[in-house]
Amino acid sequence: MEGVAQFVPLILIFAIMYFLLIRPQQKKMKEHQAMVKALRRGDQVVTQGGIVGKVSKVKDDGELELEIAEGVKVRVIQNTIATVISKTEPAK
């Protein structure tokens, strides 16, 4: 019984770390993945590097083409999108 009692604090510390650190991080990661999958042409986005642009093309291989100024387009990886400023209405 004494051997099990020694592991109880360790198990409690792990449980607290799971609920305070690991679980919220997993939830945030799932939300980010859903946001990235929902990107469409015309959405205004901000990259993790701070570049603001409009999505001009969504490619299947995990890339986006952003128009950062008129006639200036850059390719970025979809997962580097930090936030979506404005979304376009879906085509009907």
Side-chain angles (χ1 to χ4, degrees):
M1 195 65 168
E2 291 178 14
V4 174
Q6 291 177 345
F7 287 110
V8 170
L10 187 62
I11 293 169
L12 286 174
I13 289 171
F14 180 74
I16 290 170
M17 294 296 273
Y18 175 78
F19 284 107
L20 291 179
L21 297 174
I22 298 169
R23 194 166 171 235
Q25 184 66 27
Q26 287 176 340
K27 184 179 178 184
K28 186 175 180 179
M29 197 166 69
K30 285 181 184 178
E31 290 173 356
H32 183 263
Q33 288 295 329
M35 177 195 68
V36 168
K37 284 186 178 185
L39 286 173
R40 291 193 303 270
R41 186 172 174 252
D43 291 348
Q44 287 256 333
V45 296
V46 177
T47 65
Q48 289 177 355
I51 298 173
V52 179
K54 185 182 284 191
V55 177
S56 61
K57 189 186 291 184
V58 179
K59 298 181 180 181
D60 290 334
D61 57 349
E63 287 186 7
L64 295 174
E65 193 171 284
L66 289 183
E67 185 172 5
I68 57 175
E70 194 156 330
V72 180
K73 295 182 181 180
V74 294
R75 290 182 0 197
V76 296
I77 304 297
Q78 280 184 338
N79 288 334
T80 62
I81 301 300
T83 57
V84 177
I85 297 172
S86 64
K87 300 230 12 115
T88 58
E89 292 298 321
K92 294 183 180 179

